[in-house]
Amino acid sequence: MANITFKGTAIHTQGNLPAVGASAPDFKLTAGDLSEKSLSDFKGKKVILNIFPSVDTGTCAASVRKFNEEAAGLENTVVLCISRDLPFAQGRFCAAEGIENVVSLSEYKDSNFSDAYQLKITDGPLAGLLSRSVVVVDEEGNVVYTEQVAETTEEPNYTQALAAL
């Protein structure tokens, strides 16, 4: 169980992110067109998993904007923005913001994603949502970087995540 905070108050996740060097667990999530996507769909690419509670919050929206901006210049890399928001809400946000360089994926249905990555928040006002985290996966499917943001209201360390590529 990871110990994080939300506005300074301790909350917890169901476990810890996969270790650097481990094979990244595959998953199934829902895309904006309601198709199913998995990590294996991006095999051979570097993958940044930008995981957050909800695109309807300022910090989460900022992370999507920042990774969208950075993704435009990354070679052989895809950024997956993952939350429990409905795919329709994710699509509305991306359309309104001109977000075109990331792939939004939703865990609104039963999915193995939060269990595989052990990042579902288990208590507090955000219980059931995903902990703000970044996981970087190399072309071979190995985890090369992880960050579970200690204070949920803060942005991830973009510089370190991008340097891991």
Side-chain angles (χ1 to χ4, degrees):
M1 168 172 42
N3 298 310
I4 56 175
T5 59
F6 176 63
K7 296 182 179 180
T9 301
I11 58 175
H12 306 90
T13 64
Q14 65 195 100
N16 296 301
L17 292 171
V20 170
S23 290
D26 204 5
F27 53 78
K28 292 181 180 173
L29 293 166
T30 304
D33 62 2
L34 301 181
S35 66
E36 194 172 84
K37 294 288 184 190
S38 64
L39 182 60
S40 58
D41 291 331
F42 304 97
K43 186 176 181 174
K45 291 186 180 272
K46 298 173 193 171
V47 180
I48 299 173
L49 306 177
N50 175 34
I51 307 153
F52 48 89
S54 175
V55 77
D56 285 329
T57 68
T59 306
C60 300
S63 74
V64 173
R65 286 185 202 103
K66 179 66 173 177
F67 277 120
N68 179 67
E69 176 185 311
E70 294 293 338
L74 300 175
E75 190 173 316
N76 195 38
T77 303
V78 63
V79 177
L80 307 180
C81 293
I82 303 168
S83 69
R84 298 203 76 186
D85 292 300
L86 290 173
F88 315 112
Q90 292 173 335
R92 242 186 339 270
F93 170 80
C94 289
E97 296 283 331
I99 306 288
E100 298 177 346
N101 301 316
V102 301
V103 177
S104 294
L105 297 173
S106 173
E107 191 189 45
Y108 84 100
K109 294 181 184 178
D110 288 334
S111 168
N112 63 340
F113 178 75
S114 57
D115 291 336
Y117 285 79
Q118 294 290 296
L119 46 65
K120 189 182 297 177
I121 298 171
T122 59
D123 56 5
L126 301 181
L129 297 178
L130 305 179
S131 170
R132 184 176 320 287
S133 306
V134 175
V135 177
V136 179
V137 180
D138 68 14
E139 299 96 318
E140 287 80 41
N142 298 310
V143 176
V144 295
Y145 174 82
T146 65
E147 177 189 10
Q148 189 158 44
V149 179
E151 168 53 54
T152 303
T153 61
E154 294 178 2
E155 293 181 58
N157 188 326
Y158 304 109
T159 303
Q160 284 186 353
L162 294 165
L165 294 170

